[in-house]
Amino acid sequence: MIFPTQPIIKRNNNEAWEDLNTDPYIQIEEVTKVYNDITPLKNISISIYKGELFSILGKSGCGKTTLLRILAGFEKPTSGRILIDGIDVTNWPPYKRPVNMVFQSYALFPHMTVAENIIFGLKQEGLGKTAINDRVKEALSLLQLSGYEDRKPDQLSGGQKQRVALARSLVKRPKLLLLDEPMAALDKKLREQTQFELVNIQEKIGVTFILVTHDQEEAMTMSTRIAIMHDGKIRQVGVPHDIYEFPNSRYVAEFVGSVNLFEGVVVEQDLDHVLIETPAMDCLCYAAHTGVIPKGSNITFAIRPEKLMISSIRPTYPRNWTQGIIKEIAYLGDISIYYVQLESGKIVMATLPNLLRISERDFQWEDEVFLFWRSENSLVLTS
């Protein structure tokens, strides 16, 4: 077998990162990188576990590619250290690290065939002909490239080139595979298909993957966990559900998905909720919240568009609803986004699934509507 049997973290198993008895497989400890007067990485610490498909998500210039290059050994940190499987590799050159990297451009040799591209790294290691042939054959089968051995890269589609780049990396049996925006060049449909293929391959072989991307949907779809980066710092690490449903700051709430944000003042605080008064809406917001927020505190609360419900009938309860006029409707096929202008002038987004045809929809432009939401769907943000 090319790929030794390894314990794999399935996405429906108990999470290793919640087990105090499980040691991290990759440890990034207080890593800082300084170039002259620029500091792209500021005291980064992340623990990643064996078999994870871990994503680093952030805008261009946030430092995510610099961190990936440090993991690969192409850059050295100004301070801090990198451990792989308990071994400090901070000062190891790239060729000594049990790490391979798939670049955004795939970096295939254009004059070589598929098989020659895959074989290249194995020849550098001095493996025998029989061992090389066995590994290449299994890699071609695993990545659905059998029959393409004699093709050149210019005879392949974007998805096939990506699989060749993966095969070339995986035949070297790395402990860690780094992927730098690996699907950026693919069209939307092929990218979605390739995402699921990549997850299946990763779960099958059990190699730890670290994916760097600015594509939120890609990170949410593929990852065991996600680290949100901003301005050289880690803002939040968590499973996709927690990143989306329980952002720890206004920045994360705004960055991941769409969100409606409201400024308010806490007028009541109890063990399981806060009551918020906001000038943008002519109502009080009752929000489920277990933290301590003193009465009179200025806070931000957020509501995701899909958590808002729309009605033409005024709610009878006194809290968690407001009213406005539909000013725009964006039709996206499976859903529509309704832009509702409140009496204060604030525009609020609400999304509804398109269960009916456009001509049969309940709400149209300039309709007066009422928006309401559940207390647990108000996210209280204090930072």
Side-chain angles (χ1 to χ4, degrees), residues 319-338:
R319 299 167 182 165
N320 288 17
W321 66 268
T322 188
Q323 65 187 96
I325 305 294
I326 296 175
K327 290 299 182 182
E328 295 289 344
I329 303 174
Y331 177 76
L332 302 181
D334 56 340
I335 65 167
S336 287
I337 305 174
Y338 295 82

Side-chain angles (χ1 to χ4, degrees), residues 45-58:
S45 292
I46 310 174
S47 293
I48 299 169
Y49 292 82
K50 192 169 187 175
E52 278 203 80
L53 200 164
F54 189 95
S55 290
I56 301 172
L57 176 65

Side-chain angles (χ1 to χ4, degrees), residues 281-294:
M281 296 189 289
D282 188 21
C283 76
L284 291 174
C285 176
Y286 183 98
H289 188 72
T290 56
V292 177
I293 306 177

Side-chain angles (χ1 to χ4, degrees), residues 14-249:
N14 293 331
E15 289 84 352
W17 47 90
E18 294 182 349
D19 185 353
L20 297 178
N21 296 316
T22 302
D23 293 327
Y25 196 57
I26 311 296
Q27 291 170 275
I28 304 166
E29 296 185 349
E30 299 181 351
V31 167
T32 294
K33 181 66 178 178
V34 179
Y35 298 107
N36 299 321
D37 58 343
I38 300 173
T39 307
L41 297 178
K42 304 168 184 174
N43 201 36
I44 298 287
S45 292
I46 310 174
S47 293
I48 299 169
Y49 292 82
K50 192 169 187 175
E52 278 203 80
L53 200 164
F54 189 95
S55 290
I56 301 172
L57 176 65
K59 296 179 181 178
S60 297
C62 72
K64 58 187 186 294
T65 297
T66 301
L67 180 58
L68 207 69
R69 289 178 62 82
I70 286 174
L71 284 165
F74 301 139
E75 303 274 358
K76 285 189 177 181
T78 304
S79 62
R81 62 180 191 156
I82 304 293
L83 287 85
I84 298 177
D85 201 9
I87 299 171
D88 189 339
V89 300
T90 309
N91 295 312
W92 289 18
Y95 62 87
K96 284 192 174 182
R97 299 187 183 203
V99 176
N100 262 7
M101 187 165 178
V102 177
F103 297 93
Q104 182 175 333
S105 62
Y106 311 137
L108 301 178
F109 297 114
H111 62 288
M112 293 184 181
T113 64
V114 167
E116 289 168 342
N117 266 282
I118 296 171
I119 288 169
F120 182 81
L122 297 177
K123 284 185 173 179
Q124 300 299 106
E125 292 183 352
L127 288 182
K129 186 175 180 180
T130 301
I132 288 176
N133 288 339
D134 288 345
R135 288 200 191 186
V136 171
K137 184 178 179 180
E138 190 171 353
L140 289 168
S141 175
L142 176 68
L143 290 145
Q144 300 176 30
L145 290 167
S146 298
Y148 292 84
E149 296 91 328
D150 298 325
R151 294 195 187 185
K152 298 284 184 68
D154 62 1
Q155 297 174 302
L156 302 174
S157 68
Q160 290 164 348
K161 289 178 183 177
Q162 191 219 44
R163 293 204 295 273
V164 174
L166 279 169
R168 185 177 60 183
S169 296
L170 292 172
V171 290
K172 291 172 67 68
R173 296 183 177 174
K175 289 186 175 181
L176 174 63
L177 186 64
L178 307 176
L179 301 106
D180 185 12
E181 304 274 7
M183 285 163 278
L186 306 182
D187 63 65
K188 179 176 173 59
K189 191 168 185 178
L190 181 57
R191 188 166 64 246
E192 290 173 351
Q193 176 187 340
T194 307
Q195 286 169 5
F196 287 106
E197 287 181 359
L198 190 59
V199 169
N200 289 333
I201 291 166
Q202 189 268 338
E203 288 192 336
K204 188 179 294 183
I205 63 177
V207 172
T208 304
F209 282 18
I210 298 180
L211 168 71
V212 158
T213 182
H214 66 272
D215 187 318
Q216 297 179 24
E217 185 177 324
E218 186 171 282
M220 297 289 282
T221 299
M222 298 175 64
S223 309
T224 52
R225 288 187 301 152
I226 301 170
I228 305 294
M229 279 194 74
H230 173 61
D231 192 27
K233 298 178 181 178
I234 299 296
R235 301 299 297 263
Q236 186 172 352
V237 176
V239 298
H241 171 268
D242 286 345
I243 292 287
Y244 186 81
E245 298 286 359
F246 306 104
N248 65 359
S249 66

